[in-house]
C-alpha cells in the first residue's frame, strides 16, 4: 500500500504537510495548498507560530472548505476558531 502525502513546505518560512486526508499546519499561502485541500477532511494545527498557521490561509480554509474539521491545542484555539481543542498545556 502506497502512502499518499505531499510536503507542501517545511521550514521557518512556512509549514504545511498533507498525509492522506490530514493536513498538518497551514503556514503557507492558501494557493500553495489549495489542490491538496480537496483530499483533506482534517486540519491539525500543531502550534500558533506564524510559520505553522497563516491567518489569511486559515480564514480561506474556513470559508472555502467548511467541511474540514480543525483541531488544535488551547493556545491556538485562543486565537482561532477551531472545531476541537486537543492535548494539554
Amino acid at each position: 500500500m502506497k502512502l499518499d502525502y505531499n510536503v507542501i513546505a517545511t521550514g521557518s518560512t512556512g509549514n504545511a504537510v498533507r498525509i492522506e486526508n490530514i493536513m498538518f499546519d497551514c503556514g503557507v499561502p492558501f494557493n500553495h495548498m489549495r489542490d491538496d485541500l480537496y483530499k483533506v477532511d482534517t486540519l491539525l494545527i500543531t502550534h500558533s507560530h506564524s510559520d505553522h498557521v497563516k491567518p489569511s490561509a486559515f480564514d480561506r480554509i474556513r470559508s472555502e472548505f467548511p467541511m474540514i474539521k480543525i483541531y488544535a491545542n488551547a493556545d491556538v484555539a485562543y486565537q482561532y476558531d477551531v472545531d476541537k481543542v486537543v492535548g494539554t498545556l
Side-chain angles (χ1 to χ4, degrees):
M1 177 179 215
K2 184 177 177 185
L3 186 66
D4 181 22
Y5 72 95
N6 183 18
V7 178
I8 298 162
T10 184
S12 61
T13 59
N15 293 278
V17 175
R18 182 188 54 79
I19 301 173
E20 298 289 342
N21 61 320
I22 302 172
M23 180 75 73
F24 294 87
D25 293 326
C26 59
V28 298
F30 177 80
N31 290 336
H32 293 191
M33 64 182 122
R34 171 186 266 138
D35 291 343
D36 281 280
L37 291 169
Y38 288 102
K39 299 179 177 183
V40 169
D41 61 19
T42 303
L43 169 60
L44 175 64
I45 301 174
T46 60
H47 58 286
S48 61
H49 291 167
S50 61
D51 59 323
H52 291 267
V53 57
K54 186 175 188 72
S56 59
F58 181 92
D59 292 342
R60 297 243 348 238
I61 291 168
R62 268 287 186 223
S63 67
E64 295 186 32
F65 292 87
M67 71 298 248
I68 293 176
K69 298 297 181 197
I70 302 176
Y71 297 81
N73 64 27
D75 184 47
V76 174
Y78 180 75
Q79 299 173 58
Y80 298 93
D81 178 30
V82 303
D83 295 303
K84 177 128 175 113
V85 178
V86 296
T88 59
L89 292 176

